[in-house]
Amino acid sequence: MTEGQRFQLGTVGALSLSVISSVSIVICNKALISTLGFTFATTLTSWHLLVTFCSLHVALWMKWFEHKPFDPRTVMGFGILNGSSIGLLNLSLGFNSVGFYQMTKLAIIPCTVLLETIFLRKKFSHNVQFSLAILLLGVGIATVTDLQLNVLGSILSLLAVVTTCVAQIMTNSIQKKFKVSSTQLLYQSCPYQAITLFIIGPFLDWLLTDKNVFAFSYTPRVLAFVILSCLISVSVNFSTFLVIGKTSPVTYQVLGHLKTCLVLAFGYVLLHDPFSWRNIFGIFVAVIGMVLYSYYCTLESQQKPSEAVAQHSQGKEGESDPLMGVENGTDGKSPAWSSNKDLRA
């Protein structure tokens, strides 16, 4: 098996793990919140991160991966930013209607594309942009209902979108810049994320629910679901870093909308949640967008190596024939073509 085939297999495995674990934890948390009345989402997330760190520490002790420390200020800033983005997303949901919150999630993709284009000089082809537009349209039709605006909610949503985009872009950039794996980055940043949410979590949950997480009645059934949620979260957190590291922040967001569609379909088929033809049509359009996005990204990723080989061979031809250089006024040297395109999304 070639290195390229191994990479593709690893990417498919990461995407599959992310989908399965994310849908599983949504189902578990839905039972925990809706059925058992445990509505402390931010505090629960801090427990998720704490269990993830402990699990990774055990894996490090068993030598399943190698600890690779790097710039501590970068790790701290990244961890705090990640934790803050989770808290802001929860606040956005609490201070806005469900429809406006869904619009906030949809805004993450175009915001990520904009930031990567401006600051990282990445190029997204018209085909990729078209497929993303179809995807967002479909998810919007399927999920967005009422749009009730308010000043505080809008500010929180804007902050949530920006911090989430920057955190996900940093996840990809840090792994490439410092040559660390997703496991190594997650292990080092987890404590800062957990501490950030552990400090602000109880306050945010009290602000949103008017209930005290420490005064809640923890029955054996509640504890069982909390433990199950924490165990599943290890896979969710690991697969998140893995997917962003192997692909890109935009691809991870596309995958997130696929999860949304799967959760909606699961709720309709197994839980008999209310469903309409609008939901079905929206999911259908979103799936078309996802298929087109996958097709165009795969096609463009295959074109890159062939273009690089062609440019390399052209350079060699130019150098081997000095007359070519004289005719073009380059003193026998072929022009240094540089491609600034990064069509991965």
Side-chain angles (χ1 to χ4, degrees):
M1 185 180 292
T2 64
E3 184 177 348
Q5 290 175 327
R6 288 197 193 97
F7 179 81
Q8 291 179 354
L9 186 62
T11 302
V12 171
L15 295 171
S16 302
L17 178 63
S18 179
V19 170
I20 294 172
S21 58
S22 296
V23 173
S24 300
I25 202 169
V26 166
I27 296 169
C28 178
N29 289 347
K30 186 174 182 179
L32 190 59
I33 294 172
S34 302
T35 306
L36 301 176
F38 188 87
T39 55
F40 311 103
T42 309
T43 302
L44 180 62
T45 305
S46 71
W47 298 346
H48 287 170
L49 291 165
L50 181 61
V51 171
T52 299
F53 175 73
C54 293
S55 302
L56 289 175
H57 195 70
V58 172
L60 179 64
W61 177 71
M62 298 177 70
K63 297 183 179 179
W64 287 0
F65 72 96
E66 181 183 354
H67 181 43
K68 186 178 179 181
F70 59 96
D71 187 4
R73 287 184 298 179
T74 300
V75 175
M76 181 184 297
F78 171 70
I80 294 174
L81 179 65
N82 246 323
S84 300
S85 69
I86 296 172
L88 285 168
L89 281 171
N90 288 338
L91 279 175
S92 175
L93 178 58
F95 282 91
N96 291 301
S97 64
V98 175
F100 191 78
Y101 175 72
Q102 291 296 339
M103 286 296 295
T104 298
K105 292 176 65 177
L106 290 177
I108 292 175
I109 285 184
C111 181
T112 302
V113 170
L114 179 64
L115 290 176
E116 288 192 318
T117 301
I118 294 175
F119 295 103
L120 300 182
R121 299 179 183 274
K122 287 190 176 182
K123 302 294 182 181
F124 296 87
S125 70
H126 293 299
N127 288 333
V128 169
Q129 293 176 25
F130 175 69
S131 62
L132 288 175
I134 293 178
L135 165 67
L136 295 176
L137 175 64
V139 176
I141 293 173
T143 61
V144 177
T145 52
D146 57 319
L147 289 177
Q148 299 174 7
L149 303 179
N150 64 81
V151 176
L152 179 59
S154 300
I155 294 174
L156 290 172
S157 293
L158 177 62
L159 292 174
V161 169
V162 173
T163 53
T164 300
C165 292
V166 174
Q168 291 180 359
I169 291 172
M170 285 182 66
T171 301
N172 183 275
S173 301
I174 289 174
Q175 291 185 53
K176 292 179 178 179
K177 179 180 179 180
F178 295 100
K179 294 184 168 81
V180 293
S181 67
S182 54
T183 310
Q184 292 167 332
L185 177 58
L186 180 60
Y187 175 71
Q188 294 188 68
S189 63
C190 240
Y192 298 107
Q193 296 182 59
I195 291 172
T196 301
L197 290 176
F198 194 77
I199 293 173
I200 67 175
F203 172 74
L204 291 185
D205 289 331
W206 172 79
L207 187 65
L208 296 173
T209 66
D210 200 25
K211 296 179 182 178
N212 187 349
V213 63
F214 301 109
F216 187 79
S217 177
Y218 290 91
T219 63
R221 193 178 178 190
V222 170
L223 288 174
F225 272 92
V226 167
I227 292 172
L228 178 61
S229 179
C230 289
L231 292 176
I232 298 174
S233 73
V234 177
S235 177
V236 173
N237 291 323
F238 173 71
S239 62
T240 296
F241 279 62
L242 192 61
V243 168
I244 296 177
K246 284 185 172 292
T247 56
S248 72
V250 175
T251 297
Y252 176 72
Q253 285 300 323
V254 171
L255 189 68
H257 291 305
L258 171 61
K259 299 170 193 174
T260 301
C261 294
L262 289 175
V263 169
L264 286 173
F266 174 86
Y268 173 68
V269 174
L270 297 182
L271 302 180
H272 305 291
D273 288 343
F275 220 71
S276 66
W277 285 107
R278 174 182 170 177
N279 300 126
I280 297 173
F281 177 71
I283 291 176
F284 177 73
V285 173
V287 169
I288 292 176
M290 292 173 199
V291 172
L292 289 175
Y293 176 80
S294 302
Y295 171 74
Y296 290 133
C297 285
T298 303
L299 188 65
E300 291 167 2
S301 65
Q302 291 173 349
Q303 289 176 349
K304 282 183 180 181
S306 59
E307 289 176 358
V309 171
Q311 291 172 3
H312 181 68
S313 62
Q314 288 175 2
K316 283 189 174 182
E317 289 175 2
E319 289 178 358
S320 62
D321 190 352
L323 293 178
M324 292 292 293
V326 172
E327 289 178 1
N328 289 289
T330 57
D331 299 329
K333 294 182 181 180
S334 60
W337 297 102
S338 61
S339 175
N340 198 28
K341 293 184 178 180
D342 189 345
L343 301 177
R344 292 183 309 160

